[in-house]
Amino acid sequence: MPEPTSTKKISFRKIIRRESGFLVLTVLLGLFPFVMNLITGSGLNDGITKYWQGQLIAFFIMAVLAMSYDLLIGYAGILSFGHAAFFGGGAYTMALLLTHWGPTFASRYRITIPGGTDITTLIIFIASLLASAVVALLIGALFSATSARLKGAYFAMLTLALAEAIHILAKATDFVQWTGADEGLHGVPIPAWLNPTQFRLRFYFIALAFLVISYFVIRRFTNSPTGRVIVATRENEDRMRMIGYNPATYRTITFLTASLFAGLAGAMYSLWNMSATPSMTSAVTTVNMLIMVILGGMGTLIGPIIGAGLMQTLSQFLYNFFGARWPLVFGLIFIFIVLFFPYGIVGTWRLKQPDLKAGWERFRRLLGSKPPEQQ
Amino acid sequence: MSQENILEAHNLRKAFGGLVAVDDVSIHIQEKTMHAIIGPNGAGKTTLFNLLSGTMPPTSGQVFYHGRDITHLPPQRRAHLGIGRSFQITNIFPNLTVLENIRLATQAMGKHNFRLLHLAENYSEYIEKAEAVIEQVGLTGRELIIVRNLPHGEKRKLELGIMLACDPELLLFDEPTAGMSSEQVPELIQIINKVVKEKGRTAILVEHRMDMVMQISDKITVMSQGTILAEGSPHEIANNRQVQKAYLGDLYGELA
């Protein structure tokens, strides 16, 4: 009798143990609004509790975006500067459909389930979300198809150019009655039951669920046979070919997965802000993602989440102190983090090398003073 | 001979600009033999290997595998047809473990490369196969070491292991002993011999250690300046005056 392979399967319990850190964080975040409510006494849907939930919602969405970027640059080692195109593509699809298609559809059809409950807005919402995912996937497919033969800097330039093309499309006055051109779309009529102003706590949990599900799906993906191939292709593409893998196929898979999650994050972001603006498709958005991933640690998944949180917190905090000049201060902090945590916060922590001396040396070299061995 | 040719190259030529690295080379590899290619540095051995394994396209000429024209197939397709290759300059996955390096090769030959949401650890068949290969190349106990930390000799064994894990029918060894100390060589010869002789595989071997080549190969092709200088059994080659002059040097020349 052949031995059943299931005896060696990784049990559910083992996965829980392995991801205990993330799960604890999830529980803490789930309790956060209620704890805030108890401490401050402000209601779950107003005051300071509501404000902090808002901050965290933006963080959850940006964390998913940063994770999707990490798949590309951290796991697959693909330097792409076009990530904003996926994010913006998802956001615009959601906003455009809810603005221009949803109301028309709702005025013509009314969908109810047997109990008599009206689910028309739910159907519109789900359809728009699926469309956002499809559009993001199509942009991802376009990116990987056009750039399949390029590598390194050339590849990065092409992705930047493609993203800029989409940025220009978003700003184009030719489609002003649809996209609002420079202004973007504002006051998107999102389903009333999802309204983040009215139902902040509900939106908070939806956004948290979005982060948790995305994390586990992406984590699973990176640990799958396919994910292992992607990491190894980053390590040594030529050898992968020689043992029978086609790197282009795996590159496309990575691109599609990353664009899917970036597109969904974009859709969520447009729901949260009830808007879609050209700045979401700009290179600045991509650079912000890059900073989040580098801060947290490439190829760690948990790192980009921390990076997104850090960036969110720092930008708020610094803005309160320095006003519009906050990016200057942030830049300095960023340089220091890169000097002292060259593999990002999580990456350096895992290597157990938060080496202060080496960081100090790098700092001195940056300032142009001679390293001691040459003196 | 009754044995079939597993690989045939017809009039292969590879030019890099003005430099012709491989010039009109035709070679026939018989099934289940150990065929060595020798020659001085710059003779075009590695370039020939690159043409046979598909890493480079030839400028002209054709390559047939089991009678099928594979001249324009990329390396990954050739790998699935049963052609494996090891490299002269160690070509491994530096930041992965020994086990993962070899597991990837066993997985490549399987059917689960596109299971996006299953855990790789759950496909125990690949892990078991990889462990068998690790034992075969003598790296037992080193499974979880990140391979960039391995000493050179063990990296060479791993290099071999990655190829063996694909279980190819035709094995291309590009200087398997490169950089190894003489004490480590016999073990490696044994591993190669075992695979080729016991499993009935075919091997093409590029090697600089003449003693090793003379000892294990069935047939030897001598290359010089991109062309084939001589071909024959080890005995014939050792007694060939032209070869002695071009390659084997004074020692063999005096003996003859």
Side-chain angles (χ1 to χ4, degrees), chain A residues 5 8-10 14-15 18 217 219-229 231-247 249-250 253 257 351, chain B residues 53 55 75-76 79-80 83 85-87 91-96 100 103-105 107-109 112-124 128 159 162-163 166:
Chain A
T5 48
K8 279 197 168 179
K9 289 238 159 159
I10 304 276
K14 204 165 168 185
I15 291 175
R18 203 189 283 175
V217 173
R219 171 61 82 212
R220 188 95 177 169
F221 174 73
T222 59
N223 284 330
S224 73
T226 318
R228 297 286 188 88
V229 174
V231 170
T233 307
R234 173 194 73 197
E235 292 284 305
N236 189 344
E237 198 175 316
D238 289 335
R239 190 61 194 250
M240 283 309 266
R241 268 200 199 98
M242 208 58 248
I243 59 176
Y245 294 104
N246 185 358
T249 311
Y250 293 91
I253 294 174
T257 314
L351 288 171
Chain B
S53 63
T55 324
Q76 63 267 23
H80 283 283
I83 301 177
R85 181 194 174 170
S86 76
F87 291 79
N91 200 350
I92 52 182
F93 306 102
N95 295 311
L96 306 178
E100 181 66 5
R103 198 198 63 80
L104 282 160
Q107 185 192 305
M109 295 295 128
H112 303 105
N113 293 327
F114 298 108
R115 298 292 171 90
L116 267 59
L117 294 175
H118 290 71
L119 288 175
E121 296 146 280
N122 284 344
Y123 293 101
S124 48
E128 280 158 20
E159 173 68 46
I162 294 175
M163 170 171 65
C166 294

Side-chain angles (χ1 to χ4, degrees), chain B residues 39-41 45 88 175 177 206-211 213 247:
Chain B
N41 284 326
K45 294 166 296 184
Q88 178 186 2
E175 284 199 43
T177 65
V206 165
E207 187 51 68
H208 270 308
R209 286 174 206 264
M210 289 311 302
D211 48 342
V213 170
Y247 183 60

